[in-house]
Amino acid sequence: MPTVLLVNTQPVLRALLEKRFTQEGFGVHAASWDQGLELLREARPDLVVLGQDEQHSPEAWLEACSPCCPALILLTTGESGQESAPGEVARLRMPFRPSDLLALARKAVTG
């Protein structure tokens, strides 16, 4: 079973995505930004879904975890003109359809 780490500062969105990924057969770990790095190192997921927010820099988070960063889907709040992060397989602009995220996730873990 593929595993996904959902990192997001919005508890409601995190809970919704956790439910949807579980229904689709993923093993799921969910965390806030502050808990995410520790959980990444412990859980070693196949995929990270990282939700961007105004208070946290995705680049700083990714730099800290790059040695063990699996495939990544970045959820953005603005323009996607930034450079791709290491391991990034997709970028989705919020708001997004959960079905689009799940399709990208399946593709990322199956190659």
Side-chain angles (χ1 to χ4, degrees):
M1 163 185 346
T3 58
V4 62
L5 171 59
L6 304 171
V7 180
N8 199 292
T9 57
Q10 300 174 25
V12 174
L13 179 58
R14 225 174 29 235
L16 170 73
L17 293 177
E18 185 173 7
K19 182 178 179 179
R20 291 294 303 268
F21 272 93
T22 300
Q23 290 171 338
E24 292 292 320
F26 283 82
V28 179
H29 304 279
S32 67
W33 273 67
D34 297 332
Q35 302 161 330
L37 283 175
E38 183 177 332
L39 194 52
L40 174 70
R41 292 180 189 112
E42 291 173 6
R44 296 284 197 198
D46 300 303
L47 173 68
V48 172
V49 176
L50 181 65
Q52 183 179 357
D53 75 355
E54 293 78 28
Q55 297 178 353
H56 297 90
S57 163
E59 289 76 18
W61 197 89
L62 293 168
E63 183 178 314
C65 71
S66 63
C68 57
C69 189
L72 171 76
I73 296 175
L74 183 62
L75 306 177
T76 66
T77 56
E79 296 300 318
S80 60
Q82 300 170 335
E83 288 184 32
S84 293
E88 184 178 327
V89 294
R91 221 174 257 235
L92 278 179
R93 186 169 178 187
M94 296 176 70
F96 59 89
R97 292 192 320 242
S99 59
D100 291 342
L101 176 57
L102 288 162
L104 288 168
R106 276 190 231 98
K107 184 177 178 182
V109 298
T110 59

